[in-house]
PDB file of all heavy atoms in Angstrom:
ATOM      1  N   VAL A 309      -3.952  -1.998  -0.471  1.00 85.00           N
ATOM      2  CA  VAL A 309      -4.104  -1.714   0.954  1.00 85.00           C
ATOM      3  C   VAL A 309      -3.841  -2.995   1.733  1.00 85.00           C
ATOM      4  O   VAL A 309      -4.704  -3.869   1.837  1.00 85.00           O
ATOM      5  CB  VAL A 309      -5.513  -1.167   1.252  1.00 85.00           C
ATOM      6  CG1 VAL A 309      -5.636  -0.789   2.716  1.00 85.00           C
ATOM      7  CG2 VAL A 309      -5.806   0.048   0.375  1.00 85.00           C
ATOM      8  N   ASP A 310      -2.635  -3.119   2.299  1.00 84.00           N
ATOM      9  CA  ASP A 310      -2.230  -4.342   2.992  1.00 84.00           C
ATOM     10  C   ASP A 310      -1.581  -3.979   4.324  1.00 84.00           C
ATOM     11  O   ASP A 310      -0.442  -3.515   4.355  1.00 84.00           O
ATOM     12  CB  ASP A 310      -1.258  -5.139   2.134  1.00 84.00           C
ATOM     13  CG  ASP A 310      -0.904  -6.488   2.755  1.00 84.00           C
ATOM     14  OD1 ASP A 310      -1.334  -6.752   3.903  1.00 84.00           O
ATOM     15  OD2 ASP A 310      -0.196  -7.279   2.113  1.00 84.00           O
ATOM     16  N   PRO A 311      -2.270  -4.189   5.451  1.00 87.00           N
ATOM     17  CA  PRO A 311      -1.703  -3.832   6.757  1.00 87.00           C
ATOM     18  C   PRO A 311      -0.414  -4.568   7.102  1.00 87.00           C
ATOM     19  O   PRO A 311       0.320  -4.138   7.994  1.00 87.00           O
ATOM     20  CB  PRO A 311      -2.828  -4.217   7.739  1.00 87.00           C
ATOM     21  CG  PRO A 311      -4.071  -4.176   6.929  1.00 87.00           C
ATOM     22  CD  PRO A 311      -3.671  -4.647   5.564  1.00 87.00           C
ATOM     23  N   GLN A 312      -0.124  -5.673   6.420  1.00 84.00           N
ATOM     24  CA  GLN A 312       1.102  -6.402   6.709  1.00 84.00           C
ATOM     25  C   GLN A 312       2.349  -5.680   6.208  1.00 84.00           C
ATOM     26  O   GLN A 312       3.470  -6.084   6.528  1.00 84.00           O
ATOM     27  CB  GLN A 312       1.013  -7.805   6.110  1.00 84.00           C
ATOM     28  CG  GLN A 312      -0.058  -8.663   6.781  1.00 84.00           C
ATOM     29  CD  GLN A 312      -0.225 -10.013   6.125  1.00 84.00           C
ATOM     30  OE1 GLN A 312       0.011 -10.170   4.932  1.00 84.00           O
ATOM     31  NE2 GLN A 312      -0.654 -10.994   6.903  1.00 84.00           N
ATOM     32  N   ASP A 313       2.159  -4.605   5.429  1.00 88.00           N
ATOM     33  CA  ASP A 313       3.297  -3.836   4.923  1.00 88.00           C
ATOM     34  C   ASP A 313       3.699  -2.695   5.852  1.00 88.00           C
ATOM     35  O   ASP A 313       4.499  -1.838   5.482  1.00 88.00           O
ATOM     36  CB  ASP A 313       2.970  -3.249   3.542  1.00 88.00           C
ATOM     37  CG  ASP A 313       2.816  -4.325   2.485  1.00 88.00           C
ATOM     38  OD1 ASP A 313       3.441  -5.390   2.637  1.00 88.00           O
ATOM     39  OD2 ASP A 313       2.063  -4.111   1.522  1.00 88.00           O
ATOM     40  N   LEU A 314       3.150  -2.658   7.063  1.00 91.00           N
ATOM     41  CA  LEU A 314       3.413  -1.572   7.996  1.00 91.00           C
ATOM     42  C   LEU A 314       4.604  -1.898   8.891  1.00 91.00           C
ATOM     43  O   LEU A 314       4.675  -2.981   9.479  1.00 91.00           O
ATOM     44  CB  LEU A 314       2.172  -1.315   8.867  1.00 91.00           C
ATOM     45  CG  LEU A 314       2.278  -0.154   9.855  1.00 91.00           C
ATOM     46  CD1 LEU A 314       2.340   1.170   9.110  1.00 91.00           C
ATOM     47  CD2 LEU A 314       1.099  -0.171  10.828  1.00 91.00           C
ATOM     48  N   PHE A 315       5.522  -0.932   9.005  1.00 91.00           N
ATOM     49  CA  PHE A 315       6.688  -1.065   9.873  1.00 91.00           C
ATOM     50  C   PHE A 315       6.850   0.215  10.679  1.00 91.00           C
ATOM     51  O   PHE A 315       6.209   1.227  10.404  1.00 91.00           O
ATOM     52  CB  PHE A 315       7.942  -1.357   9.057  1.00 91.00           C
ATOM     53  CG  PHE A 315       7.944  -2.713   8.407  1.00 91.00           C
ATOM     54  CD1 PHE A 315       7.324  -2.914   7.184  1.00 91.00           C
ATOM     55  CD2 PHE A 315       8.543  -3.791   9.024  1.00 91.00           C
ATOM     56  CE1 PHE A 315       7.308  -4.169   6.586  1.00 91.00           C
ATOM     57  CE2 PHE A 315       8.537  -5.049   8.440  1.00 91.00           C
ATOM     58  CZ  PHE A 315       7.911  -5.239   7.217  1.00 91.00           C
ATOM     59  N   GLU A 316       7.740   0.155  11.662  1.00 92.00           N
ATOM     60  CA  GLU A 316       7.991   1.325  12.499  1.00 92.00           C
ATOM     61  C   GLU A 316       9.477   1.605  12.546  1.00 92.00           C
ATOM     62  O   GLU A 316      10.299   0.681  12.628  1.00 92.00           O
ATOM     63  CB  GLU A 316       7.456   1.108  13.916  1.00 92.00           C
ATOM     64  CG  GLU A 316       7.581   2.335  14.810  1.00 92.00           C
ATOM     65  CD  GLU A 316       6.819   2.199  16.120  1.00 92.00           C
ATOM     66  OE1 GLU A 316       6.172   1.162  16.325  1.00 92.00           O
ATOM     67  OE2 GLU A 316       6.881   3.148  16.924  1.00 92.00           O
ATOM     68  N   ILE A 317       9.840   2.871  12.473  1.00 94.00           N
ATOM     69  CA  ILE A 317      11.237   3.281  12.540  1.00 94.00           C
ATOM     70  C   ILE A 317      11.408   4.226  13.721  1.00 94.00           C
ATOM     71  O   ILE A 317      10.559   5.077  13.987  1.00 94.00           O
ATOM     72  CB  ILE A 317      11.684   3.945  11.217  1.00 94.00           C
ATOM     73  CG1 ILE A 317      13.200   4.165  11.199  1.00 94.00           C
ATOM     74  CG2 ILE A 317      10.942   5.236  10.945  1.00 94.00           C
ATOM     75  CD1 ILE A 317      13.750   4.533   9.826  1.00 94.00           C
ATOM     76  N   ASN A 318      12.509   4.054  14.450  1.00 92.00           N
ATOM     77  CA  ASN A 318      12.809   4.905  15.598  1.00 92.00           C
ATOM     78  C   ASN A 318      14.311   4.944  15.815  1.00 92.00           C
ATOM     79  O   ASN A 318      15.078   4.359  15.033  1.00 92.00           O
ATOM     80  CB  ASN A 318      12.078   4.398  16.849  1.00 92.00           C
ATOM     81  CG  ASN A 318      12.351   2.936  17.130  1.00 92.00           C
ATOM     82  OD1 ASN A 318      13.495   2.506  17.177  1.00 92.00           O
ATOM     83  ND2 ASN A 318      11.277   2.149  17.286  1.00 92.00           N
ATOM     84  N   SER A 319      14.736   5.646  16.848  1.00 91.00           N
ATOM     85  CA  SER A 319      16.169   5.829  17.082  1.00 91.00           C
ATOM     86  C   SER A 319      16.891   4.516  17.352  1.00 91.00           C
ATOM     87  O   SER A 319      18.089   4.393  17.078  1.00 91.00           O
ATOM     88  CB  SER A 319      16.391   6.798  18.249  1.00 91.00           C
ATOM     89  OG  SER A 319      15.758   6.298  19.429  1.00 91.00           O
ATOM     90  N   GLU A 320      16.176   3.522  17.858  1.00 92.00           N
ATOM     91  CA  GLU A 320      16.823   2.257  18.195  1.00 92.00           C
ATOM     92  C   GLU A 320      17.025   1.354  16.982  1.00 92.00           C
ATOM     93  O   GLU A 320      18.011   0.601  16.926  1.00 92.00           O
ATOM     94  CB  GLU A 320      16.000   1.517  19.255  1.00 92.00           C
ATOM     95  CG  GLU A 320      15.951   2.254  20.596  1.00 92.00           C
ATOM     96  CD  GLU A 320      15.176   1.469  21.643  1.00 92.00           C
ATOM     97  OE1 GLU A 320      14.642   0.388  21.297  1.00 92.00           O
ATOM     98  OE2 GLU A 320      15.096   1.941  22.793  1.00 92.00           O
ATOM     99  N   ASN A 321      16.111   1.410  16.015  1.00 94.00           N
ATOM    100  CA  ASN A 321      16.219   0.498  14.869  1.00 94.00           C
ATOM    101  C   ASN A 321      16.478   1.229  13.554  1.00 94.00           C
ATOM    102  O   ASN A 321      16.412   0.614  12.490  1.00 94.00           O
ATOM    103  CB  ASN A 321      14.952  -0.357  14.745  1.00 94.00           C
ATOM    104  CG  ASN A 321      13.727   0.444  14.303  1.00 94.00           C
ATOM    105  OD1 ASN A 321      13.790   1.656  14.105  1.00 94.00           O
ATOM    106  ND2 ASN A 321      12.603  -0.239  14.146  1.00 94.00           N
ATOM    107  N   ARG A 322      16.766   2.527  13.612  1.00 93.00           N
ATOM    108  CA  ARG A 322      16.850   3.314  12.380  1.00 93.00           C
ATOM    109  C   ARG A 322      17.896   2.762  11.413  1.00 93.00           C
ATOM    110  O   ARG A 322      17.663   2.695  10.204  1.00 93.00           O
ATOM    111  CB  ARG A 322      17.161   4.784  12.697  1.00 93.00           C
ATOM    112  CG  ARG A 322      17.031   5.687  11.456  1.00 93.00           C
ATOM    113  CD  ARG A 322      17.275   7.157  11.797  1.00 93.00           C
ATOM    114  NE  ARG A 322      16.510   7.574  12.939  1.00 93.00           N
ATOM    115  CZ  ARG A 322      15.224   7.892  12.910  1.00 93.00           C
ATOM    116  NH1 ARG A 322      14.561   7.814  11.769  1.00 93.00           N
ATOM    117  NH2 ARG A 322      14.603   8.273  14.002  1.00 93.00           N
TER     118      ARG A 322
END
Side-chain angles (χ1 to χ4, degrees):
V309 184
D310 185 354
Q312 294 176 331
D313 293 332
L314 183 68
F315 292 84
E316 185 169 359
I317 189 168
N318 53 51
S319 58
E320 295 182 357
N321 70 359
R322 189 177 311 281

